[in-house]
Structure formats: C-alpha cells, structure tokens
Amino acid sequence: MRLRWTQTLTLFFASICCSLTEKPSNASSPNIIIMLMDDMGWGDLGVFGQPSKETPNLDAMAAQGMLLPNFYTANPLCSPSRAALLTGRLPVRNGFYTTNAHARNAYTPQEIVGGISKDEILLPRMLKEKGYISKIVGKWHLGHRPQYLPLENGFDEWFGAPNCHFGPYNNSNRPNIPVYNNTEMVGRYYEEFMIDRKTGESNLTHIYLMEGLDFIERQSQARRPFFLYWAPDATHAPVYASKHFLGKSQRGRYGDAVMELDYSIGQILSWLKLLSIDQNTLVFFTSDNGAALTSGPYESGSNGPFLCGKETTFEGGMREPAIAWWPGRIKEGTVNFQLANVMDLYVTCLALAGISPPSDRTLDGIDLTPVLLKQLHTHQNRPIFYYRGDELMAVRLGEYKAHYWTWSNSWQEFKKGINFCPGQEVPGVTTHDQIEHTMQPLIFHLGQDPGEKFPISVLTKEYQDVLSRISPIVDQHKKTLVPGVPQLNMCDVAVMNWAPAGCEKLRKCLKVPKSQPWKCDWPH
C-alpha cells in the first residue's frame, strides 16, 4: 500500500468505480468506524476555536453530524484509555493500571511484561456475534507479546505497530518497534518504515489511510458489516507528516501532522459516500488523551481553555474532541452537551449491532444511541470518573467537578524540565506533591470556570449542595469497585521486540537477552 501521492486516490477511485455495478444492500447491522487520534487536544480543531482553521474536513464532519463538547477519555494516558475504549471498562477494572506506586500513570512500553487480560472481552470479539469483520489500523498499545496482540483479541486484520514510534534505537540495547501486517512483522520503524527525526518526514499516515480505504472497499464489495478501528499516531511526539504536508501549517510540524490526519479523514468519509454506504456507517472521531503540553511548543497540540494536559486529571488531560457522523441518522449540525466518555462507545456499538452486552461484568459505559439518533440529553445525573492509576482523583457531575486528589507531577520531575502545565500553574491546584482533599474536595463550576482556576468557597451553600450530591456517588462507586489484577507492574528487557513473528523471513530477528524482571518505575 505504499503508493506515491500522485498515484494514490486516482488509482483507488478508478478501481472501485470500475468494479461497482450496483449499490451494496442496506444491511441491518451498521458499519462502525472509530477514529482514535493520539495526543490530539480538544483545542486542535477549527470547530472548537483553533485560530489557524486548518481542519476543514473535521469541521465539515461536525457540520454534517454531531459535536460532543463534554466527551472524555478514561485515563490521561494512551494505553489505559485504549483498553477502556475496547473493553467498556475503567482501567482500574480491566487491569490497565499499576500498584507499584500511588496514583501513577502506566502504559505499555516494549519492556512491559503484561498486556490486556485474557478475561476481558474486547469489542471486535463481541461484534463477531453479528458477523462483523474487524480491522485495526495503526497503534495497538495493549501489549506486544504474542498473546496480547489484536488477532488474539477479536480483530480479523491489523496493519500497524504494538507500541509508540519512539526511536531510532541501535537494536543492541533496545530494538526498533516492529510494524505488523496481521500476525507477522513486515519491518521496523526507522528501518523499512522511515521516520526522519530531523525533518519529520514519514509516509505512515498515508499508508494507514490506504489500509483503511482498502479494508472498507473489500467489506463493501463482500456486503459484510465491518468495524474499522483507525488509530494513527502522527500527533504523538516525535510528530511526523508526509512530504506533501510538511511545512504547510501555521502551527509548525505538529500542525502539519494534524492537516494530514484531517485530509485522511476527509478521504475516508468521501470513500464511504462513493461506495454508497455512508448512510449505513457510524463514524466516531475522538482522541486517546489530551495534548501532551510537555512536548511543546513544537510537538504538542492545544487543549483550548482547559487546564494542563496529558498525564493529568485536569480537564486538559481528559476532555477530548469528539464528533459523531452518520448521514441520514444523526441530524446535521447538532451539538449535544451530554457527559460521555470512550467507554460509552463499547456499549453504543453493541446496541447498534443488536448485541446484548456481557452480563458477567461491570461495564462503565452507557448507550448513547438516544443521544446520537434522537438528540436527547437523557443521562442528566451521569458522573465522569477521573482516574490516575489506582486512585480516583476527581468526579464530574453536571457542571461541577470535585477534586479528591491534586497532582501535576513530582518536584523531582518538574525540576528536570518535565512540565504538564506549562504557563498554567494554579496555586493549590496544580500541585507538585500529591495532595489529598478527600475530607474537603476542591470543587469547580466548569461552565463558569473551564480552566479550573477558581475553587468554590467551602463556606457557600453552593459548595455544600454540590458536595451532598457528589459524595453519595463517590461512596457508592468505591464501595462496589472490584479492581482488576494490575497488568502494568512488571518489566523485563527479555520481552522487548527482539524477535517478533515473521522476523526470520525478513532476517530481522535479534538476540534475546537474559531475563531480568523488575518492578516498572512509573514517575508520573
């Protein structure tokens, strides 16, 4: 799928136009596409006020569908949020957290021993009940050892990588990350799949676009319902873009990456229309966590008016851009302020497919079909839980948010230059020590104070009224919570990507070092 830009969609459109002889049938089970961006912030879209207005396709998608300004991730870091999306469960339930230290963000670098638990039932496995064919394109991040990979967890196809595109490495102390086609590697980042760290040039987003278009076309021709999980990672540092887009944005290289993703999304939506399956396809766009402000200013996005960013449970770390698009089913140009999160997508997709959710476990998502299809705002008292590792840091109910713990990052890390809230320090709020507020939580009115700068006085009736409504919700949640077995505690150099399946065909197998397991150190 590595076609040059001049050949790309011309050949693709020509091939499909020649092969189509009749419209595909309007299947009862709708197709589902979830587009999950990586470290893209709420404020990166023109429709949310980004002044450069460089996302015309996403802005048009919102104009043709529904904008959800109160949409959240389940964790302010990539791996746990992705695990939550695909299981419908908080990371503390599905095991994507650590108990090595209090309130620490953990993820799946290539030295991680664990991955998604075999006890979890991922969305693509559930969708098989109604004959769905599922593909993931892009970043997996739920474990890179063989038993944790996508095709072992319900997906039928995969093109992408198990980890972030960090590197390049020398393949001696640490191997470069492999890129997979289904069950076997077809190369490694910085080798067969180049990312030029100096210029930022890489055609990975273009490859991911073509993989997505090809999958959609094949399933359309076969008249099978499909689930496409399109998860490009160009906006995660080190950010990259194809040569065609480099230098085009007012926002620098990060903006170049956003522009290419926006273009790619426009191509996918156009493809659905060309295949006449747009009215039988739900497309949902969002991001895995807030923009990584610590990578700024050259490799990070914008969280708009919200406080801090990735790694924190302030609004900038967990409130995400979200657009739902389904011509003929979702009313054009609607905005719905329902509090929602990525775990709702699990339950909603099952509802649309006519599949009952698993009854043997607690799910943290709700069915958003009344919101999407009838423009209702029916879940008025639905809370949003903000977790960091094993700790419930905050809860939102309606317009109010109560912080039970505050922490940006440690003084030690802060003094090294790692800053999750650059230019946004709020005394007593963005604390560098873990401060507990359980007895007297900090409460903000997010409608009036989206930047979480002005806590409501504990002496006011407003504070007491809000506390009386939130406290029972927190008490009930903690009383009934059964944490999953933590999967992100242990690390080992021997489990890195030394010799993935398929390496022998490419002569890319590397020597596996002696196992030396240790407890992973999670500083944040």
Side-chain angles (χ1 to χ4, degrees):
M1 302 302 295
R2 299 181 218 177
L3 301 176
R4 296 182 182 275
W5 275 101
T6 54
Q7 299 172 308
T8 304
L9 294 178
T10 302
L11 292 178
F12 224 76
F13 286 140
S15 67
I16 187 60
C17 287
C18 291
S19 64
L20 278 175
T21 57
E22 58 181 308
K23 285 188 177 183
S25 62
N26 184 21
S28 58
S29 298
N31 307 310
I32 299 165
I33 300 177
I34 295 177
M35 299 173 165
L36 187 71
M37 303 300 105
D38 201 339
D39 290 5
M40 187 179 285
W42 192 94
D44 280 328
L45 276 60
V47 71
F48 281 129
Q50 216 298 318
S52 65
K53 303 297 182 186
E54 294 174 345
T55 55
N57 292 290
L58 283 165
D59 298 347
M61 182 182 179
Q64 296 163 13
M66 177 180 288
L67 197 65
L68 295 109
N70 287 324
F71 193 84
Y72 288 85
T73 186
N75 187 272
L77 196 62
C78 39
S79 295
S81 67
R82 292 162 192 263
L85 187 160
L86 290 174
T87 64
R89 286 153 56 82
L90 285 163
V92 73
R93 292 195 209 272
N94 65 37
F96 253 60
Y97 71 106
T98 183
T99 53
N100 288 356
H102 177 248
R104 292 304 202 277
N105 291 316
Y107 69 110
T108 56
Q110 59 172 323
E111 59 265 34
I112 199 74
V113 172
I116 193 68
S117 170
K118 61 180 176 54
D119 296 325
E120 295 300 316
I121 308 174
L122 274 61
L123 179 59
R125 192 177 300 283
M126 291 293 299
L127 290 173
K128 285 183 182 297
E129 183 178 320
K130 285 297 182 74
Y132 278 77
I133 303 298
S134 300
K135 178 165 185 166
I136 169 176
V137 175
K139 179 175 169 182
W140 171 237
H141 226 31
L142 300 190
H144 61 279
R145 298 172 71 196
Q147 67 269 35
Y148 301 128
L149 293 177
L151 271 62
E152 294 295 320
N153 286 280
F155 282 98
D156 300 289
E157 299 181 20
W158 176 33
F159 189 94
N163 308 94
C164 289
H165 57 274
F166 294 133
Y169 303 120
N170 61 13
N171 285 333
S172 176
N173 298 323
R174 182 178 289 263
N176 282 317
I177 303 300
V179 175
Y180 280 77
N181 184 23
N182 296 326
T183 59
E184 294 187 346
M185 68 174 285
V186 289
R188 295 182 186 270
Y189 284 146
Y190 303 98
E191 296 174 24
E192 290 77 14
F193 295 89
M194 281 301 301
I195 303 172
D196 189 321
R197 290 293 301 270
K198 183 176 180 181
T199 66
E201 181 178 350
S202 175
N203 66 346
L204 278 164
T205 298
H206 179 57
I207 294 172
Y208 292 156
L209 167 61
M210 298 306 294
E211 286 288 334
L213 295 177
D214 173 71
F215 175 73
I216 292 168
E217 188 268 335
R218 285 188 285 110
Q219 306 320 312
S220 174
Q221 290 301 294
R223 303 191 183 192
R224 292 182 297 223
F226 65 81
F227 168 46
L228 173 60
Y229 176 39
W230 197 69
D233 64 353
T235 42
H236 187 298
V239 299
Y240 61 80
S242 300
K243 186 176 182 179
H244 182 77
F245 289 92
L246 284 175
K248 298 294 178 65
S249 171
Q250 301 173 51
R251 306 177 64 194
R253 192 178 298 173
Y254 179 88
D256 296 338
V258 172
M259 289 181 73
E260 183 170 13
L261 290 168
D262 177 78
Y263 168 83
S264 300
I265 289 163
Q267 293 302 307
I268 291 173
L269 300 185
S270 295
W271 197 231
L272 296 171
K273 294 175 182 177
L274 182 65
L275 293 169
S276 299
I277 58 173
D278 54 312
Q279 295 194 9
N280 195 45
T281 305
L282 168 67
V283 183
F284 198 97
F285 166 91
T286 189
S287 181
D288 62 347
N289 47 248
L293 302 185
T294 191
S295 299
Y298 305 110
E299 296 199 304
S300 73
S302 168
N303 295 314
F306 304 122
L307 184 63
C308 301
K310 177 180 178 178
E311 303 264 9
T312 78
T313 50
F314 302 111
E315 289 298 287
M318 292 188 61
R319 200 187 300 204
E320 309 305 326
I323 303 170
W325 183 91
W326 189 353
R329 299 297 304 277
I330 294 176
K331 185 179 179 181
E332 292 187 359
T334 52
V335 179
N336 196 299
F337 292 95
Q338 172 67 53
L339 299 191
N341 65 47
V342 293
M343 295 171 288
D344 299 339
L345 298 181
Y346 183 96
V347 180
T348 303
C349 290
L350 294 183
L352 290 172
I355 300 170
S356 298
S359 59
D360 63 343
R361 64 200 60 215
T362 298
L363 295 178
D364 294 292
I366 61 173
D367 180 7
L368 292 178
T369 54
V371 175
L372 300 178
L373 305 183
K374 299 180 181 179
Q375 298 87 52
L376 301 179
H377 189 174
T378 55
H379 306 286
Q380 299 282 354
N381 296 316
R382 191 272 174 89
I384 296 293
F385 298 109
Y386 302 69
Y387 267 89
R388 185 163 174 169
D390 58 350
E391 185 60 73
L392 178 62
M393 304 288 285
V395 178
R396 179 177 177 183
L397 184 66
E399 293 293 342
Y400 293 95
K401 180 178 178 182
H403 287 268
Y404 291 85
W405 287 84
T406 53
W407 191 39
S408 56
N409 66 336
S410 69
W411 282 113
Q412 181 181 7
E413 295 294 306
F414 182 71
K415 289 174 181 177
K416 291 179 183 177
I418 299 173
N419 188 353
F420 298 148
C421 311
Q424 293 183 301
E425 297 286 345
V426 180
V429 179
T430 57
T431 57
H432 293 288
D433 295 308
Q434 291 187 2
I435 305 297
E436 184 175 8
H437 306 277
T438 303
M439 301 304 295
Q440 198 172 79
L442 300 180
I443 297 179
F444 298 89
H445 187 295
L446 295 178
Q448 299 169 353
D449 179 23
E452 298 170 279
K453 294 178 174 62
F454 306 104
I456 298 170
S457 170
V458 299
L459 302 177
T460 62
K461 182 178 183 297
E462 180 183 18
Y463 180 95
Q464 296 302 324
D465 287 346
V466 173
L467 187 61
S468 69
R469 289 191 287 121
I470 292 182
S471 293
I473 292 172
V474 173
D475 292 343
Q476 179 67 14
H477 174 74
K478 289 186 173 182
K479 184 169 68 174
T480 58
L481 177 69
V482 179
V485 177
Q487 301 295 310
L488 307 181
N489 280 350
M490 298 304 297
C491 289
D492 190 341
V493 293
V495 304
M496 291 185 184
N497 294 288
W498 303 106
C503 67
E504 64 284 347
K505 296 179 182 178
L506 303 173
R507 297 184 179 181
K508 303 286 289 187
C509 300
L510 303 170
K511 183 180 179 181
V512 180
K514 180 182 177 181
S515 176
Q516 295 179 321
W518 75 93
K519 279 191 173 184
C520 309
D521 177 31
W522 305 114
H524 309 305

